[in-house]
Amino acid sequence: EHLGVDRVMYAEVEGEAGAETGTIRGQYVRPVREGDPAVAPFPERFTYQPFGETTMPGRYRGDPLVVADIESAPGFARAERAAWAEGKVRAAVVAPLAK
């Protein structure tokens, strides 16, 4: 709430490299505010593949991923941008946690 974000989630990653799936273990969704559209929660289970093959190797290294605007960020193909848009994600900060 303090950051004014629409969604925050914690997901566990499973699967072979290139076929990883995520399972949401915790998620915050911004409450509906007058004049703003409602925000849908991210699905409980999803696959990472459509979001870009360049994102997972960095996560395995523990590198953070910061995308200020997926429409103009370098390194994403048209299909990857479409996947982010379908998930209603325009900007993201990913902080990997390796256990």
Side-chain angles (χ1 to χ4, degrees):
E1 290 177 2
H2 177 75
L3 296 175
V5 299
D6 288 337
R7 286 185 297 215
V8 175
M9 62 195 85
Y10 173 82
E12 291 182 354
V13 179
E14 300 171 308
E16 300 283 327
E20 298 91 348
T21 59
T23 302
I24 301 291
R25 297 295 184 205
Q27 181 169 196
Y28 163 84
V29 177
R30 173 183 54 77
V32 176
R33 295 184 299 230
E34 188 175 329
D36 287 342
V39 176
F42 213 73
E44 184 178 330
R45 291 192 50 79
F46 60 97
T47 178
Y48 283 95
Q49 190 278 331
F51 294 95
E53 64 184 43
T54 60
T55 64
M56 289 311 290
R59 290 179 185 177
Y60 288 129
R61 290 189 306 270
D63 299 342
L65 173 67
V66 178
V67 180
D69 183 350
I70 190 62
E71 292 300 315
S72 61
F76 292 94
R78 177 178 285 141
E80 295 165 345
R81 293 180 202 283
W84 286 67
E86 186 178 324
K88 305 284 191 262
V89 178
R90 180 72 184 255
V93 175
V94 178
L97 171 64
K99 291 184 178 181

